């Protein structure tokens, strides 16, 4: 049984060592394709593998087509918008993610980004404090609930909107559940985004929601750039000279935002929410274990297709 780890953005060495140990102890062969720059190298590397582990690497229909023996692909991470699920299903390939494994790393980055923006991206001058401000969690999943807990630690007043989580479950964490996104954006000084990128959510955060935010508000995006309607973000930030935007992955209009908005805008150059040794180890080892369990016992927990 051959397993390939194909990571354009590689895991920490300790994570790769752990993946090797798990797969080799199960009697599988491990192959590595790291930091590839040409997708044709990916096509070649998947040609004869049975299992595939990726991060944000795009597993397109062409990759699936090149992987004639593939039976399972695991996205070591939460968001699986990089997997062509229809192509996997058409070939009977099981697709999984590793929910929750890298959430703490992402939540800590979201918190760090709030501090960074509150302090004028560390430029000289008077900033503001998070204590006493309203924090809105847009989607109360694994990352959202950790950001909520950190926000409470800062002394923030925490709200959440998530139509898929019961209000009473949100309330148990001392977080106020709101029933619409409009209410969340209308109330909160900081909104931290944790929605997945789907056909429904892409470009769903635009003028209507952002223009409702209170004076001096900041949108924190550690989710996906695709959920933002970038033209409308630009328009609202031009009209509302108090609004701020911070993103973990450069938007398509990064250069324009950077030039126009100075300390009101910041983006990491490359997505780094899950870039901690701990997150790499948690997600990488979970992916390897899920593959071994799938082949040994038929375990399909975490299947997403
Ligand atoms: C995720 O969806 O798990 C995060 O966005 C992490 O993505 P990465 O593995 O590309 O860092």
């Amino acid at each position: 049984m051959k397993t390939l780890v194909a990571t354009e953005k590689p895991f920490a060495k300790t994570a790769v060592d752990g993946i090797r140990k798990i797969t080799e102890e199960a009697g599988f062969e491990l192959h590595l394709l790291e930091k590839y720059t040409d997708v044709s190298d990916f096509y070649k590397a998947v040609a004869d593998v049975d299992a595939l582990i990726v991060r944000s690497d795009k597993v397109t229909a062409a990759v699936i087509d090149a992987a004639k023996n593939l039976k399972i692909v695991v996205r070591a991470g939460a968001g699986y918008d990089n997997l062509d699920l229809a192509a996997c299903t058409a070939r009977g390939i099981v697709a999984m993610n590793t929910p929750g494994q890298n959430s703490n790393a992402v939540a800590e980055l979201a918190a760090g980004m709030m501090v960074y923006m509150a302090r004028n991206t560390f430029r000289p001058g008077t900033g503001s404090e998070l204590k006493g401000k309203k924090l809105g969690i847009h989607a109360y999943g694994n990352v959202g609930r950790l950001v909520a807990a950190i926000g409470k630690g800062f002394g923030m007043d925490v709200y959440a909107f998530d139509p898929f989580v019961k209000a009473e479950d949100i309330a148990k964490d001392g977080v106020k559940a709101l029933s619409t996104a409009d209410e969340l954006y209308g109330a909160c000084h900081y909104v931290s985004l944790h929605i997945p990128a789907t056909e429904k959510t892409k470009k769903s955060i635009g003028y209507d929601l952002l223009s409702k935010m209170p004076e001096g508000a900041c949108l924190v995006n550690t989710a996906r750039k695709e959920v933002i309607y970038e033209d409308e973000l630009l328009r609202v930030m031009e009209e509302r000279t108090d609004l701020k935007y911070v993103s973990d992955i450069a938007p398509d209009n990064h250069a324009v935002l950077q030039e126009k908005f100075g300390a009101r805008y910041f983006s990491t150059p490359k997505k780094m929410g899950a870039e901690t040794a701990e997150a790499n180890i948690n997600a990488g080892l979970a992916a390897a274990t899920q593959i071994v369990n799938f082949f040994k016992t038929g375990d399909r927990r975490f299947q997403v297709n």
Side-chain angles (χ1 to χ4, degrees), residues 233-234 237-238 256-265:
L233 170 74
L234 186 65
M237 285 186 70
E238 273 168 341
V256 181
L257 294 171
Q258 194 174 42
E259 190 203 307
K260 289 200 168 189
F261 304 122
R264 292 170 51 209
Y265 164 74

Side-chain angles (χ1 to χ4, degrees), residues 71-83:
K71 283 132 197 121
I72 179 169
V73 51
V74 183
R75 190 282 191 246
Y80 47 88
D81 46 304
N82 54 320
L83 308 182

Side-chain angles (χ1 to χ4, degrees), residues 9 55-56 75-80 102 106 222-224 271 273-275:
K9 191 171 63 179
R55 294 185 63 176
S56 288
R75 190 282 191 246
Y80 47 88
N102 58 18
V106 179
T222 54
R224 291 289 183 270
K271 187 159 56 117
E275 285 293 75

